[in-house]
Amino acid sequence: MGISKAVVASLLVSLFLIQFAQAFHSNQLSEAKAILDKQVPTKIDCGEACVARCKLSKRPNLCHRACGTCCSRCNCVPPGTSGNYESCACYAEMTTRGNKKKCP
């Protein structure tokens, strides 16, 4: 009789430890997913952003092409129709082969 009580007790302890390990692992996965969700920026709609950026351009096709390239590389477009480069540093730093600003 003494052996069966020890076996039952060890089984209960084992089950408790398994449940504890699963809960701990599940919690770690949830925390890791939350961290990854914060680190992966959402992709912006470059088409819509560039339409807004280029709506007053004298050369809209050229503006849309350049803006689209810059947006896809930087995942941002400054607000407004010109300037405001401080809100999107990557966009502001891109240059052409002639060392002129690439992005409108």
Side-chain angles (χ1 to χ4, degrees):
M1 225 30 200
I3 295 176
S4 64
K5 287 183 183 180
V7 170
V8 170
S10 65
L11 283 174
L12 289 175
V13 169
S14 297
L15 288 173
F16 173 76
L17 290 175
I18 289 171
Q19 289 294 327
F20 180 75
Q22 284 178 341
F24 181 74
H25 181 69
S26 176
N27 189 32
Q28 281 187 326
L29 287 175
S30 297
E31 289 174 4
K33 185 178 181 327
I35 290 170
L36 284 175
D37 288 343
K38 289 178 186 176
Q39 290 176 346
V40 178
T42 48
K43 196 80 170 141
I44 69 166
D45 181 358
C46 290
E48 184 178 312
C50 289
V51 164
R53 183 75 174 174
C54 297
K55 69 182 176 186
L56 299 179
S57 175
K58 292 178 184 173
R59 300 180 67 192
N61 291 338
L62 178 65
C63 183
H64 284 285
R65 189 174 68 231
C67 178
T69 300
C70 297
C71 177
S72 65
R73 290 181 187 171
C74 299
N75 195 37
C76 64
V77 173
T81 55
S82 67
N84 300 317
Y85 291 111
E86 65 278 356
S87 66
C88 185
C90 168
Y91 192 94
E93 293 169 0
M94 292 179 72
T95 57
T96 63
R97 290 183 200 151
N99 217 23
K100 294 180 182 178
K101 285 190 183 242
K102 178 178 186 69
C103 308

